[in-house]
Amino acid sequence: MIRFFIGIALWFSIQVAYAQNGKYLKLPAAKFSIGDASDWKAAAFNDNQWKDIKVGEVWQSQGYPDYHGYAWYRIHVTIPSSLKQSAVWGDSLRVFLAHVNDADETYLNGTLIGKTGAFPDDQGGYISKWPASRNYCVAAGSPAIKWDAENIIAIKVFDGGGSGGIFMGSPFIDMLEKSDGIAFNLSGIEFLPGSKAEQKLTVSNKFNTAIAGILHYQVIDELKDRVIEDKLIPASLPAYSGKAFTLAFPHREGIKLVYDFKEKASGKVKSFTEIAPYLLTPKEPLEPLINGAGVLGVHAGSPIIYKVPVSGQRPFKYSIQHLPAGISFDTQKGIITGSLPKNGSYTLNIKVSNRFGENRKAFIIKVGDKLALTPPMGWNSWNCWGLSVSDAKVKSSARAMIDKGLTDYGWNYINVDDGWQAAQRLNSGEIIPNEKFPDMKALGGQLHQEGLKFGIYSSPGAKTCGGFLGSFGHEAQDAMTYFNWGVDYLKYDLCSYSDNTAGDTTLYAQQKPYIVMRDELKKHQRDMVYSICQYGIHDVWKWGAEMNGSLWRTTEDITDTWESLYSIGFSQTNNATYAHPGGWNDPDMLIVGMVGWGENLHPTNLTPYEQYTHISLWSLLSAPLLIGCDMSKLDEFTLNLLKNREVIALDQDVSGKQAERLINDNGIQVWLKPLADGSKAVGVFNTGDKYKNYNLQFKQINLTKATVVRDVWKQKDITAAPLKNISFNIPPHGVRLLKIIGR
Ligand code: GLA
């Protein structure tokens, strides 16, 4: 159901946990048929008439562009006994099938060897499991394996929408070694006084056999290319056990932790590298600071809910001057509510104090035709929970958003993505939630009580990308339902609507479904931010605003890898002039924290350098900022990344200009965003794999002299003297984010 793009193919090539052993056989091709029949699993079935297909690429890109449903792959492979003979452990044969969009059942010569997800015809119905890697193991002595003869690996697949088939990796078979049972898990980073940090490394044995070997770990200073610490620790791990080690290292940028486990019998090594997390955002001051853009766009007469974002030590005392008629202010919670019947600009003066000080800020409510005068900020369930989202998971993230202080920095939307819909509408045609969401209206109400906003997801097609009910033919009813539930944001995702446009590539065919829903949303006295999600087809940035879109996706889906981040983020070069207050280019949601697109979450695969790049680039791009992780599990590093008021202020700058790339030079990219106060936000990115020294000549970015250059992450002026250039070392895939006052 995830939509496929080229960058994704690289994703799992870096998943070391599944790297094949020395001897292996690639499984690059198969026979293929759409449909389903019970005898297709059998070794004896004659598939001569079937088409050839590449294994590892979705079938949509191989001649089946609009097909969703059942299909079979039959891989013919001779498995040489030399594979078994050269193995040290020799216990099991592994069949690695990368990922399958969306569910599969796999047979070896007619014997079932694995199943992931569930088919629509299964009891309990369809469950998509595309994020899971398929590693199916068969005992080496099993009669299912025909050594030195042709074997048939038959894979039954069901695709529920979007893309389908075996993808995101290169399938292979090999023999498991004991080293494959070793897994590393780093957890519980602690930043200690004296610029020190500690992390717990757990080495576990996932197999039902003892594993002995040597743990080797190194702490490396990347900038100086120097090993700071080097340790060898013998370790014996009984079956299904784990051992924890504490790793200590300096707390600063540029520290790399490299560790591996060398299994004694085979000498095979399982290794891993991590860039040590480091904090850049300074400690939050105790005095109150009013964050947020200071401007809110609403429609005349629509209900307003706005929680004033304030950081600092609670309790606060709030007061507001110039409260217009129709607006009230909850001085306990700091929430503005009410409505304003007439178009115009209303300036309120907010004051917040605590025992450490006070802060004042002008706050403008602009009543007119535009919402989202600055890019929406909040959370969306997709990148973490995928289709397993539930009321409880949404509430726990909303709670965490408040308790962990994110709302103090302006994060406020709580958006439920795909997977909330019941299998059937009511007889009246009304959409209802499934059993995971007992009461949508109550959920919306609860979020509003806390000053949060409530978002929901649908598709103009009959089915969403996840195979749930879409709005096709029910647009008026659905808009009414969202209104009744108190929805503040609708993500409207093209998905299976493309079945209706088959062959019609005109612009109007693309716009039509968005016009239909736009006109329905308009009928209701409620401000629903309209998020157009159709992956950038037909240069949506040129017409998204006409659809009343407050944001429009410019790309296919993002995943938590550098390849994905790079190909999406750094390609936003042709749409900058279309971003404006009320209408934003959306390069997709954030991929920091615990993500996973399903029940099993993992820490993002991005390094800390890449995460600083991600947030910096998205802020420069004036991108909507939707956190995609399980917020109840936010760690100190990720929170620090998401609570930098100066970085967020670049994204939320009221001028609404999007950064443009001014330099693209041998792995260095410089992006510049003009800010409302006349200064410039500048990101200097190193897209290469090594630390790089770069000298930025200000005249290259049309500034002759800079009087103040500020490091935005550290919230510290680098210099206040007039400068013509500046040089720095930039970490691999990292960034220096500056705010420059100059001319
Ligand atoms: C598409 C979208 C994602 C997500 C899923 C839900 O892939 O691009 O952001 O909404 O659908 O199925």
Side-chain angles (χ1 to χ4, degrees):
M1 125 270 318
I2 188 178
R3 301 185 55 87
F4 176 78
F5 71 105
I6 297 299
I8 254 177
L10 296 162
W11 181 17
F12 273 77
S13 58
I14 64 156
Q15 294 280 299
V16 285
Y18 305 116
Q20 62 271 33
N21 278 308
K23 290 222 165 165
Y24 66 98
L25 284 177
K26 286 186 185 166
L27 305 174
K31 289 287 187 185
F32 180 77
S33 171
I34 58 172
D36 180 29
S38 57
D39 56 340
W40 290 358
K41 63 165 107 39
F45 175 75
N46 183 346
D47 56 25
N48 273 347
Q49 302 305 311
W50 284 21
K51 294 266 173 21
D52 293 320
I53 196 162
K54 277 185 266 176
V55 184
E57 272 177 39
V58 296
W59 64 58
Q60 276 77 7
S61 60
Q62 302 192 67
Y64 307 86
D66 297 319
Y67 183 70
H68 311 290
Y70 286 105
W72 281 76
Y73 292 75
R74 287 173 54 89
I75 302 173
H76 295 240
V77 57
T78 299
I79 308 179
S81 51
S82 60
L83 208 59
K84 184 166 53 168
Q85 277 136 24
S86 63
V88 177
W89 190 29
D91 185 79
S92 306
L93 180 82
R94 159 170 59 181
V95 179
F96 172 75
L97 294 176
H99 295 254
V100 181
N101 225 326
D102 297 295
D104 74 290
E105 198 166 81
T106 296
Y107 297 85
L108 178 61
N109 301 316
T111 302
L112 182 67
I113 58 167
K115 174 163 182 156
T116 310
F119 299 135
D121 299 331
D122 290 346
Q123 215 189 349
Y126 168 55
I127 301 171
S128 166
K129 279 278 163 79
W130 68 263
S133 276
R134 273 63 169 179
N135 276 286
Y136 298 140
C137 297
V138 190
S142 163
I145 309 171
K146 297 183 192 164
W147 296 102
D148 297 315
E150 187 183 71
N151 290 258
I152 305 293
I153 304 170
I155 306 136
K156 175 180 174 178
V157 176
F158 180 80
D159 162 34
S163 305
I166 300 172
F167 79 138
M168 288 210 293
S170 308
F172 61 83
I173 52 179
D174 69 353
M175 291 297 292
L176 278 185
E177 289 297 355
K178 284 188 178 178
S179 54
D180 290 311
I182 294 291
F184 299 113
N185 177 34
L186 270 168
S187 61
I189 178 103
E190 278 197 64
F191 300 102
L192 306 167
S195 300
K196 289 190 189 128
E198 272 181 16
Q199 225 171 346
K200 195 166 90 178
L201 170 68
T202 309
V203 185
S204 356
N205 172 3
K206 304 270 179 206
F207 286 166
N208 186 15
T209 180
I211 303 180
I214 292 178
L215 173 71
H216 177 203
Y217 90 81
Q218 288 185 315
V219 179
I220 296 170
D221 181 329
E222 271 211 287
L223 186 56
K224 299 198 177 113
D225 207 7
R226 201 161 56 91
V227 177
I228 303 175
E229 191 165 351
D230 195 326
K231 272 200 176 146
L232 289 171
I233 308 169
S236 267
L237 300 164
Y240 299 133
S241 70
K243 264 204 178 115
F245 302 87
T246 300
L247 306 187
F249 45 88
H251 173 198
R252 62 164 193 261
E253 182 193 283
I255 298 296
K256 190 155 87 178
L257 310 175
V258 181
Y259 41 94
D260 60 51
F261 185 90
K262 189 172 188 181
E263 197 256 318
K264 206 167 162 188
S266 66
K268 295 233 173 339
V269 174
K270 190 64 156 295
S271 57
F272 205 83
T273 298
E274 194 214 18
I275 303 300
Y278 57 99
L279 306 180
L280 289 180
T281 304
K283 208 166 163 347
E284 184 174 285
L286 293 169
E287 67 266 24
L289 284 170
I290 305 173
N291 297 307
V295 52
L296 183 72
V298 298
H299 291 153
S302 289
I304 297 172
I305 297 187
Y306 181 79
K307 185 175 158 96
V308 180
V310 188
S311 55
Q313 182 135 121
R314 287 177 161 71
F316 297 135
K317 246 201 191 145
Y318 300 87
S319 68
I320 287 201
Q321 280 178 332
H322 311 306
L323 210 57
I327 297 291
S328 359
F329 183 59
D330 179 334
T331 50
Q332 289 302 306
K333 291 183 170 172
I335 300 176
I336 297 171
T337 52
S339 70
L340 290 164
K342 282 211 187 89
N343 280 1
S345 226
Y346 302 79
T347 304
L348 291 65
N349 287 322
I350 306 178
K351 185 176 120 184
V352 184
S353 54
N354 67 4
R355 68 190 175 96
F356 300 100
E358 69 166 49
N359 192 222
R360 292 165 192 262
K361 188 161 171 164
F363 179 69
I364 307 171
I365 305 180
K366 286 193 182 164
V367 186
D369 59 348
K370 290 205 171 61
L371 308 174
L373 293 179
T374 60
M377 288 176 68
W379 174 85
N380 172 294
S381 56
W382 183 248
N383 290 353
C384 46
W385 301 120
L387 297 174
S388 75
V389 61
S390 67
D391 182 80
K393 286 171 175 162
V394 172
K395 284 181 181 155
S396 78
S397 271
R399 192 68 262 149
M401 193 184 238
I402 298 166
D403 293 349
K404 301 195 177 186
L406 285 161
T407 44
D408 302 348
Y409 289 82
W411 303 91
N412 62 1
Y413 281 93
I414 292 287
N415 295 350
V416 180
D417 207 279
D418 204 357
W420 60 266
Q421 310 88 327
Q424 305 241 303
R425 290 172 178 269
L426 297 178
N427 287 340
S428 61
E430 195 181 314
I431 188 101
I432 47 167
N434 55 39
E435 67 293 343
K436 295 183 294 165
F437 287 88
D439 189 339
M440 280 298 200
K441 191 172 176 161
L443 172 61
Q446 218 173 308
L447 296 175
H448 293 152
Q449 285 285 318
E450 303 279 5
L452 299 174
K453 306 270 178 75
F454 175 36
I456 208 148
Y457 167 98
S458 189
S459 168
K463 286 279 166 74
T464 64
C465 295
F468 284 76
L469 285 182
S471 294
F472 185 67
H474 294 274
E475 293 84 353
Q477 277 180 310
D478 288 359
M480 174 63 99
T481 302
Y482 305 152
F483 169 72
N484 287 333
W485 288 349
V487 165
D488 305 299
Y489 184 116
L490 171 66
K491 173 172 170 185
Y492 209 42
D493 188 357
L494 192 68
C495 298
S496 73
Y497 185 85
S498 42
D499 297 349
N500 306 330
T501 42
D504 188 347
T505 54
T506 59
L507 174 60
Y508 181 68
Q510 288 304 318
Q511 292 180 333
K512 194 171 151 204
Y514 289 97
I515 293 174
V516 173
M517 188 50 103
R518 171 193 72 187
D519 294 346
E520 292 305 330
L521 294 176
K522 248 194 215 165
K523 292 179 185 161
H524 302 285
Q525 185 71 74
R526 184 156 193 95
D527 292 348
M528 293 192 239
V529 162
Y530 191 26
S531 157
I532 293 178
C533 178
Q534 46 81 282
Y535 338 111
I537 300 169
H538 256 295
D539 294 354
V540 64
W541 43 93
K542 296 183 178 159
W543 50 270
E546 267 172 66
M547 305 294 106
N548 274 3
S550 296
L551 61 157
W552 40 83
R553 269 275 291 280
T554 55
T555 74
E556 292 278 356
D557 291 16
I558 199 163
T559 58
D560 60 323
T561 64
W562 170 249
E563 290 75 16
S564 176
L565 171 64
Y566 176 82
S567 71
I568 288 182
F570 290 101
S571 64
Q572 304 299 307
T573 48
N574 57 351
N575 52 27
T577 52
Y578 299 95
H580 61 269
W584 309 103
N585 290 307
D586 172 12
D588 209 357
M589 300 173 288
L590 303 180
I591 35 161
V592 299
M594 295 294 287
V595 293
W597 295 269
E599 284 133 74
N600 303 317
L601 306 188
H602 61 261
T604 179
N605 281 309
L606 298 182
T607 67
Y609 307 146
E610 291 163 353
Q611 296 185 61
Y612 283 118
T613 285
H614 184 25
I615 304 299
S616 304
L617 184 56
W618 262 236
S619 297
L620 288 166
L621 292 173
S622 305
L625 298 178
L626 290 166
I627 299 169
C629 67
D630 176 0
M631 293 202 292
S632 68
K633 303 240 162 54
L634 274 168
D635 58 289
E636 196 179 343
F637 169 78
T638 316
L639 267 172
N640 183 272
L641 189 71
L642 298 172
K643 286 170 61 171
N644 189 310
R645 66 193 305 264
E646 294 196 17
V647 177
I648 293 172
L650 302 185
D651 179 75
Q652 296 291 304
D653 188 75
V654 290
S655 73
K657 300 237 165 68
Q658 178 176 319
E660 295 199 61
R661 183 168 65 194
L662 300 187
I663 298 176
N664 186 7
D665 172 20
N666 197 20
I668 294 288
Q669 297 199 18
V670 181
W671 292 65
L672 183 142
K673 171 177 168 139
L675 300 171
D677 65 3
S679 66
K680 320 269 188 247
V682 176
V684 186
F685 297 91
N686 171 10
T687 61
D689 296 334
K690 294 235 149 50
Y691 255 99
K692 200 165 209 164
N693 188 272
Y694 188 69
N695 185 278
L696 175 67
Q697 301 284 330
F698 291 135
K699 65 170 187 281
Q700 291 176 279
I701 53 170
N702 309 321
L703 283 168
T704 40
K705 211 176 260 172
T707 46
V708 180
V709 178
R710 190 165 172 81
D711 181 320
V712 185
W713 278 105
K714 292 186 181 156
Q715 302 183 357
K716 221 159 108 185
D717 289 350
I718 299 175
T719 173
L723 274 188
K724 291 194 166 160
N725 62 62
I726 186 165
S727 51
F728 24 54
N729 281 310
I730 314 169
H733 301 172
V735 61
R736 297 286 172 229
L737 185 63
L738 311 171
K739 186 170 170 177
I740 304 180
I741 302 176
R743 60 188 154 78

